[in-house]
Each structure stands twice: as structure tokens, then as C-alpha cells.
Amino acid sequence: RELDSRPQFSKSFSNEDTVEMGGLPGLSFGEIAFDYALDDKITLEATIKVKNVHGIRIPVFTDFSIPRGGSDDVILRVADKEVHTSKNFLAVHSPVFHTMFFGNIVEENKEEIEI
């Protein structure tokens, strides 16, 4: 059979439905194999809508374009953008920034640095 000659099937499930080996609710394995198999293969496509997430940590993204106060002690100017951040944070993650802020060079005492 050709792909276009197969019957179309659409089924919605809720979180109350359970799917067991051998079939889907309202559709037996025999019906799937006979009506939907093409070259002895069945392809299923699923779309899942997640309503709630529990127990999974969602990453927090920081907007460095606005001052956060507290730990911010330097502004990096990159083109026409400002990056508000901490010298210590950058120095821990980059030897270049460590040298720039703590290596007795001119940027060490600046509160704004053009990159």
C-alpha cells in the first residue's frame, strides 16, 4: 500500500489514560498492524503538552544589561551594550579577566571598561 492510501488516525489522550503493550486505548494492536503498517513498519508521532513540571530545576537566566546591585562592581561596554557584572565572578572563570582586574594593570581600578 502507498502512504496516501492508509486510513488517517488521530487520538487524544489525557493523564487518566494508560497505554499498555499491545495497543492504545480504543485501538488494538491488530488494527494498528493491519490498517497502518507500511512495509511491516509502523511510525507513531506524538505531541506532548506539558502542563506542570515538578522536581525539575529550571535554569535562571540573568539579564546582565541591568544593574543587579550588591556584587556588581564593573560595567563592560561591548559595542553599544553594557554588561553589569562582578570582577570576581569573571576572574574566577577567565584568566584573562583575572589578569585584567587583579594583575596591576590600568583596568584594575576602573568601574567601566570598554571591550
Side-chain angles (χ1 to χ4, degrees):
R1 286 181 287 168
E2 292 187 26
L3 186 62
D4 295 322
S5 69
R6 295 182 297 167
Q8 296 297 308
F9 172 74
S10 177
K11 175 78 174 150
S12 295
F13 301 98
S14 73
N15 60 349
E16 302 298 319
D17 292 319
T18 58
V19 177
E20 297 180 19
M21 291 299 292
L24 300 170
L27 191 66
S28 72
F29 182 76
E31 290 173 303
I32 294 172
F34 181 76
D35 292 336
Y36 300 99
L38 181 62
D39 297 328
D40 294 325
K41 294 182 181 168
I42 298 170
T43 302
L44 298 175
E45 181 178 308
T47 302
I48 300 171
K49 181 179 178 183
V50 178
K51 291 183 179 181
N52 292 313
V53 178
H54 299 283
I56 297 174
R57 184 174 177 217
I58 298 173
V60 177
F61 296 99
T62 303
D63 183 357
F64 289 99
S65 67
I66 56 174
R68 292 175 312 225
S71 65
D72 288 352
D73 60 356
V74 68
I75 299 171
L76 302 179
R77 294 195 181 278
V78 183
D80 62 341
K81 307 273 187 223
E82 288 185 353
V83 177
H84 298 260
T85 190
S86 159
K87 290 179 180 179
N88 285 323
F89 176 80
L90 293 175
V92 166
H93 296 284
S94 166
V96 173
F97 282 117
H98 186 274
T99 301
M100 181 184 289
F101 299 135
F102 304 107
N104 294 321
I105 59 175
V106 69
E107 286 85 4
E108 181 179 19
N109 297 316
K110 289 186 176 181
E111 292 181 10
E112 292 187 19
I113 299 171
E114 186 148 347
I115 303 285

